[in-house]
Amino acid sequence: MDTLSVLREVDDLDQTAVPETAPRQGRPARVTERALDRLARSPYPRAILLYLVIRTASVQLLDLLAARRGATLADRLTAWDGQWYLRLAVHGYADLPGTLDAARQPYSDAPMAFFPLYPKLVGAVMWLGFDVVTAALAVSVLGGLVLACGLIRIGRAVSPERGDRTGLLLVALWAGAPMAIVFSMAYTEAVFCAFAVWALVGVLERRWLLAGLCAFGAGLSRSTAVVLVAVVVVAALIAVFRRTDKRWWALVGAVIAPLGVVGYLGFVAYRTGSWTGWQDIELRGWNTEFDFGVETADSVLTRLTGDESVFSTLTVLLLLGAVALAVVAVFVRVPWPLTLYGAGVLLLAIGTRGLPDAKIRFILPAFPVLIPIAIGLSKRRTATAVAAAAAWVVLGAWFSAHALTAWRYAI
C-alpha cells in the first residue's frame, strides 16, 4: 500500500470518528435540558407555587386584621395549642412547667394529650440553629408543600382525563379553605395532612409500603389518624385476600400502619396506668369526649334558630355543607378509600363533644369532600374555574383571619 492510500484511510477514520465522539461530549447538556423540560411541564412546581401564593395572601390578611386589634402576626400564628407545641419542643413532656386542666388546676399529665411528632420535628429544625417560632412555622410550611404535591397525585387518581387540572384545583380549594390558616401556624394539621394525603396515594396506587409508613407517621401526629389507619389496613387486607401480585407488601403495610397511633396511645396508657389514659386526659384537660354528636346537634339547632352572628351561622353552614359533599362523593364515585376516610374524619369531628366553634378546623383533614367540587370545576372553562376558586379562597382567608382575631375558641 502506497503512502497516499494510507493517508486517505487515516482521513476517513478521522471523519467517521467525529459523529461518534461529538454526541458524547454534548450528552450531559442534553440530559440536563430534558430534565429541565420535564420539570417545566411537571405540575408539582405549579402546585407548590399555587399553595404558597394562597397561603401567603391568607397570612397577609391575618396580619392586617391582627394589627387593627393591636396583636402581632407571630402571636396569632402561635396562639392556643401552638403555645403547647412550642413549649413541648423546648422543654419536652417531662419538664413542661405550668400545666393545668380545664378547671385551671395543676395537671402534670396534660402535655400527653399532644402527639409527639410535630414538636420533635420542630426540635430537629431548632438544632440547625433556628429559634422555636421560626422552626415551628417552617415545619408547617414544608408539610404544606408536601401535601400540595400529594393532591396532584390524588387528582390524577380521581380524574385521569383531567388529572393535573383537578389536582391543582384541589390544591387551591384546600389551601384556601376556611380555617386553612392552621397550615401556616404552629399546629399539626399541615404535617398530619401531608402524611394522610400520601398514605391515600399509596392506597390508590397500590404502593403499600408508602401507605403504611405514611399512616405510621400520621399516627404520631394526631388522634385523627385512627380513621386513616383503619382505611389503610382495610384496603391492604382486601388486597391480601384477593391474592394480588403485591399482597405481601400489602400485608407489610397493614402491619406498619397502626404502629404509630397504637404505640403512642399505649405509651400514654402505661404512663397514666389506665387503658383509656389519653381519653381521660382529653376529658379532664379540655372537656372533650365522644358523645355521638349530641353537643354538635344541639349547637347546630341553637345557631340556626337563634339570633347568632354571621360567623357563627357560617360555621354551621360550612359544617352541613361538608356533610352534603361527603354524600355527593359517594354518588360521583370517588374511590372508596377517599370517601371512607373523608366521611370518617367528619363523623369523628361531629361526634366529639368540646369546642363546637372549632369544628371547622377539626374537619379540615377531610379533604376528599372537596373532590366533587374540584372535578366539577375541572370540566368548566378556565375563567369560570379560576373565578370560583378565587371566591372560595377569599371567603376562607376572611374566615380564618376573623377566627384568629375576633372570635374566641374558633381555633
Side-chain angles (χ1 to χ4, degrees):
M1 183 179 294
D2 59 15
T3 303
L4 182 59
S5 299
V6 172
L7 290 175
R8 286 176 178 172
E9 289 187 11
V10 171
D11 184 59
D12 290 341
L13 289 173
D14 288 343
Q15 290 179 5
T16 56
V18 172
E20 294 180 1
T21 57
R24 293 177 183 174
Q25 294 173 354
R27 192 170 298 158
R30 287 200 300 275
V31 170
T32 303
E33 183 179 348
R34 285 196 298 269
L36 291 175
D37 182 61
R38 285 196 298 269
L39 182 63
R41 290 185 285 106
S42 171
Y44 298 116
R46 283 176 282 163
I48 289 173
L49 179 60
L50 179 62
Y51 179 87
L52 288 175
V53 168
I54 292 173
R55 295 298 334 123
T56 300
S58 180
V59 170
Q60 290 300 313
L61 179 59
L62 171 62
D63 188 22
L64 178 63
L65 296 189
R68 291 174 63 89
R69 291 182 172 272
T72 65
L73 180 62
D75 173 67
R76 293 297 81 203
L77 294 180
T78 58
W80 298 102
D81 287 355
Q83 290 297 314
W84 280 94
Y85 287 115
L86 296 182
R87 293 163 65 198
L88 285 169
V90 173
H91 300 285
Y93 288 85
D95 301 321
L96 196 64
T99 55
L100 305 174
D101 60 16
R104 311 302 296 173
Q105 298 299 315
Y107 188 32
S108 60
D109 287 339
M112 288 188 290
F114 299 92
F115 280 59
L117 183 59
Y118 179 74
K120 291 296 183 183
L121 292 175
V122 174
V125 176
M126 289 174 61
W127 183 80
L128 298 176
F130 296 93
D131 65 88
V132 64
V133 173
T134 301
L137 299 182
V139 170
S140 292
V141 169
L142 291 174
L145 301 183
V146 173
L147 77 86
C149 293
L151 290 176
I152 295 296
R153 299 280 277 272
I154 295 293
R156 291 174 178 175
V158 301
S159 181
E161 67 283 0
R162 300 180 183 86
D164 292 346
R165 184 181 175 94
T166 303
L168 289 171
L169 284 165
L170 264 179
V171 172
L173 294 172
W174 204 10
M179 290 315 301
I181 190 66
V182 294
F183 292 150
S184 303
M185 296 178 65
Y187 268 63
T188 62
E189 270 78 2
V191 170
F192 171 79
C193 289
F195 279 118
V197 166
W198 282 99
L200 292 168
V201 168
V203 170
L204 296 176
E205 297 182 359
R206 300 297 186 264
R207 300 188 178 193
W208 299 111
L209 186 59
L210 173 66
L213 289 174
C214 287
F216 171 81
L220 293 174
S221 304
R222 289 182 65 83
S223 61
T224 316
V226 295
V227 177
L228 177 68
V229 167
V231 171
V232 171
V233 170
V234 169
L237 291 180
I238 289 174
V240 170
F241 288 116
R242 285 181 175 176
R243 298 182 178 275
T244 62
D245 56 343
K246 295 184 178 180
R247 63 182 181 275
W248 293 115
W249 282 116
L251 184 60
V252 170
V255 171
I256 293 174
L259 295 182
V261 65
V262 172
Y264 183 69
L265 294 179
F267 166 76
V268 176
Y270 171 77
R271 287 287 298 272
T272 59
S274 170
W275 286 106
T276 58
W278 187 83
Q279 291 84 351
D280 297 340
I281 294 172
E282 284 284 294
L283 180 59
R284 178 176 168 182
W286 287 265
N287 286 326
T288 299
E289 64 177 346
F290 195 80
D291 70 343
F292 299 93
V294 174
E295 183 190 65
T296 301
D298 180 68
S299 174
V300 168
L301 290 174
T302 299
R303 294 179 181 194
L304 290 181
T305 58
D307 184 15
E308 298 289 333
S309 69
V310 173
F311 183 85
S312 181
T313 304
L314 184 57
T315 297
V316 172
L317 294 178
L318 287 171
L319 185 62
L320 295 176
V323 174
L325 285 172
V327 176
V328 172
V330 176
F331 286 99
V332 300
R333 297 183 179 180
V334 172
W336 73 262
L338 296 174
T339 303
L340 184 59
Y341 166 75
V345 172
L346 285 177
L347 289 175
L348 186 63
I350 292 172
T352 301
R353 177 174 72 87
L355 297 177
D357 285 321
K359 293 296 184 185
I360 302 304
R361 177 173 73 86
F362 295 152
I363 70 172
L364 194 60
F367 78 93
V369 302
L370 294 173
I371 290 176
I373 300 178
I375 293 176
L377 289 178
S378 70
K379 299 176 182 178
R380 302 295 183 267
R381 292 184 302 175
T382 300
T384 302
V386 170
W392 172 257
V393 169
V394 170
L395 171 65
W398 168 82
F399 190 98
S400 298
H402 189 77
L404 281 177
T405 57
W407 195 256
R408 293 191 73 190
Y409 307 122
I411 186 70

